[in-house]
Amino acid sequence: MAYLKLDSSKLNRFVNSNEVPEMQALVNAANRELRDGTGAGNNYREWLHLPTNYDHQEFERIKKDAQQIQSDSDFLIVIGIGGSYLGAKMAVDFLHGDFDDLNSSNHQTRVIFAGNSLSSSYLHDLLELIDGHDFSINMVSKSGTTTEPSVAFRIFRKRLIKQYGAKEAVNRIYVTTDAKNGALRQEVNEKGYESFIIPNGIGGRYSVLTPVGLLPIAVSGGDIDQLMLGAHKAEDELDNPDLTQNNAYRYAALRNILYRKGYGVELLENYEPNMRMFAEWWKQLTGESEGKDHKGIFPASANLTTDLHSLGQYIQQGRRILMETVVKVNHPRHDVDIPHNDKNTDELQYLEGHTVDYVNTRAYEGVVKAHTDGGVPVMTVNIPDESAYTLGYLIYFFEVAIAISGYLNGVNPFNQPGVEEYKTNMFILLNKPGYTNK
């Protein structure tokens, strides 16, 4: 039995019974492109076997360095953007309580992210936050020249040197970068920073199970052994192209069937606030993988039930361009009883004897029925809990699903040529040497 359950039962009015079997031949072809390396972008498939084929010595060094950071730092500043940031942030949030950072009894090193924007206010406020505290830096960049993280690295490296001196600052800088090339690798070789490798065959949005994500996750207290075991389980379960056996491939096929019927926007939805960043990671994974050649499903997200009070009206009665995929936690980390109230002024007496998660689940069921009745197709990915094992499985589930989905739509799921356009224009406006108006 599959570890995660894909519930597509509510798609019966949107997808005819013959359509999924008729997708099987296309899925078989996409699977060959992915598994045999015959598809576009085939040199970026190293993530496919990462859960079983990774550098175990480096993995142990990550755990050792995480313990060192926990022992000498109140903060770890992780500097990166895109895939060098979203996966780690998503996992740290997923694996911890909503208010861990504010809990005074929690002495765990706080993992803070920078270099993911060009906001001067954010950088100023973060410098004020760490003032008087011990901190270390994890700089994550394959090239070492990406503008946002490079600017942040200059700023926080200067603070490190001011606070600890040049020699001790070196011991508090951990770099995750290319094995041989790039400005950051050159600096590592010159300065002697502790460093980890971003594998050449893995693009940023697929890199969360590499040192890019593993070091911050481990520093936060996440169990990276269980994370990799969960991903390993997914690798074992999700290699059969049979759509009756492989939930990730079935999800890819169903979203493509719906896309071809005009449902061009997919909302990834959750019912747990600590999964907001999971949706942000998923949006990069899907948008950067599929949005090419004037094709692709537009990725969006909603955090429920909160967003039902803002987006709910549009979802229910707006344009019929939306499909929804819910990631539903069957057993949340905690549950809370609803108290008794004699006066019943809030009219909640009918909920007494139940828990908050019971109400949350009934809300989910009511939303699915309302949206389905209103003409919005809804799928649900049911996950058992919020453990590191489950997260590892879930990461791999979506990675392989989106890779297959990209090939089904005839695009290279592993490149991102459009991302470079804004950078070129920005460099021209900033008068960067070598960049001029066309």
Side-chain angles (χ1 to χ4, degrees):
M1 182 180 293
Y3 185 72
L4 302 188
K5 180 184 176 184
L6 175 69
D7 182 358
S8 58
S9 61
K10 303 302 187 293
L11 297 184
N12 291 340
R13 61 177 288 191
F14 306 97
V15 177
N16 296 322
S17 60
N18 65 300
E19 290 185 276
V20 172
E22 289 177 3
M23 285 289 288
Q24 186 65 68
L26 293 175
V27 169
N28 290 344
N31 181 66
R32 288 192 295 271
E33 288 187 284
L34 178 63
R35 304 288 175 174
D36 298 340
T38 59
N42 55 55
N43 54 330
Y44 282 95
R45 298 176 304 116
E46 195 173 328
W47 59 270
L48 199 56
H49 300 296
L50 183 63
T52 52
N53 186 23
Y54 60 90
D55 187 332
H56 290 264
Q57 288 185 338
E58 184 180 53
F59 189 84
E60 292 304 315
R61 190 158 52 88
I62 287 170
K63 292 194 288 186
K64 181 180 177 181
D65 285 346
Q67 291 176 343
Q68 178 62 42
I69 294 167
Q70 289 170 338
S71 71
D72 67 19
S73 300
D74 301 312
F75 295 94
L76 174 67
I77 310 300
V78 181
I79 299 174
I81 196 169
S84 298
Y85 145 68
L86 285 168
K89 174 61 173 168
M90 166 272 288
V92 169
D93 284 6
F94 184 98
L95 295 173
H96 298 286
D98 293 289
F99 306 109
D100 274 8
D101 285 351
L102 301 177
N103 189 343
S104 60
S105 64
N106 180 6
H107 300 295
Q108 191 76 41
T109 300
R110 292 179 60 186
V111 179
I112 307 290
F113 294 85
N116 48 68
S117 75
L118 288 168
S119 169
S120 55
S121 295
Y122 183 93
L123 293 172
H124 172 272
D125 292 347
L126 181 49
L127 285 166
E128 283 201 335
L129 175 67
I130 66 173
D131 190 37
H133 293 276
D134 288 315
F135 75 101
S136 296
I137 294 172
N138 176 209
M139 174 62 175
V140 186
S141 174
K142 199 155 195 175
S143 68
T145 59
T146 304
T147 305
E148 295 90 340
S150 295
V151 167
F153 189 38
R154 279 198 178 198
I155 291 168
F156 288 99
R157 180 178 51 199
K158 179 181 177 181
R159 172 61 72 87
L160 263 185
I161 294 171
K162 179 181 178 181
Q163 186 164 329
Y164 298 103
K167 184 177 180 180
E168 176 58 22
V170 168
N171 297 326
R172 290 177 171 272
I173 295 176
Y174 301 80
V175 171
T176 309
T177 190
D178 188 86
K180 298 179 179 179
N181 302 310
L184 197 52
R185 172 52 59 186
Q186 181 179 340
E187 186 171 345
V188 167
N189 294 340
E190 291 174 355
K191 302 290 187 180
Y193 303 143
E194 175 78 334
S195 67
F196 303 98
I197 305 303
I198 303 175
N200 285 328
I202 299 178
R205 58 189 176 275
Y206 282 85
S207 68
V208 62
L209 297 178
T210 74
V212 170
L214 294 177
L215 180 62
I217 295 167
V219 172
S220 78
D223 189 337
I224 61 174
D225 288 296
Q226 286 296 307
L227 187 76
M228 296 303 284
L229 284 173
H232 184 179
K233 174 72 169 176
E235 181 186 342
D236 286 346
E237 284 192 352
L238 301 177
D239 65 346
N240 184 348
D242 187 340
L243 289 173
T244 67
Q245 302 297 317
N246 191 324
N247 280 333
Y249 282 30
R250 186 175 182 85
Y251 164 67
L254 287 166
R255 66 197 298 274
N256 273 272
I257 291 170
L258 292 168
Y259 170 59
R260 293 166 194 182
K261 293 184 177 186
Y263 299 98
V265 177
E266 182 177 9
L267 285 172
L268 190 81
E269 298 171 347
N270 62 75
Y271 282 76
E272 297 293 335
N274 67 328
M275 290 186 66
R276 288 176 184 269
M277 287 305 300
F278 186 88
E280 297 303 310
W281 170 80
W282 174 89
K283 283 193 281 190
Q284 184 195 10
L285 179 69
T286 56
E288 206 167 68
S289 296
E290 297 187 298
K292 293 150 196 172
D293 303 327
H294 305 288
K295 295 187 288 187
I297 299 167
F298 182 82
S301 62
N303 305 290
L304 306 180
T305 60
T306 304
D307 286 343
L308 292 174
H309 296 261
S310 55
L311 298 176
Q313 174 61 41
Y314 188 96
I315 297 171
Q316 188 70 43
Q317 294 185 332
R319 295 177 62 201
R320 300 297 80 181
I321 59 173
L322 302 176
M323 64 175 104
E324 298 173 82
T325 300
V326 182
V327 180
K328 182 69 173 66
V329 180
N330 291 340
H331 302 288
R333 192 175 290 109
H334 303 288
D335 204 354
V336 178
D337 293 326
I338 297 174
H340 171 73
N341 185 321
D342 288 334
K343 294 186 177 180
N344 195 35
T345 53
D346 53 12
E347 300 180 357
L348 292 181
Q349 200 168 59
Y350 70 102
L351 295 180
E352 292 176 8
H354 294 298
T355 68
V356 173
D357 187 60
Y358 170 86
V359 180
N360 200 28
T361 299
R362 300 292 87 75
Y364 150 75
E365 293 168 351
V367 169
V368 170
K369 184 177 189 311
H371 289 181
T372 302
D373 290 347
V376 182
V378 183
M379 291 181 279
T380 300
V381 177
N382 288 288
I383 64 175
D385 52 38
E386 296 170 277
S387 66
Y389 187 94
T390 292
L391 179 60
Y393 193 108
L394 189 62
I395 288 168
Y396 193 90
F397 173 94
F398 278 114
E399 286 180 343
V400 76
I402 297 307
I404 289 294
S405 186
Y407 282 135
L408 286 175
N409 206 23
V411 300
N412 177 353
F414 304 119
N415 69 350
Q416 55 277 344
V419 174
E420 303 306 316
E421 292 295 324
Y422 94 86
K423 296 180 182 178
T424 299
N425 292 336
M426 180 178 68
F427 293 153
I428 291 170
L429 293 168
L430 291 170
N431 296 315
K432 182 175 182 177
Y435 288 83
T436 58
N437 284 305
K438 299 176 182 179

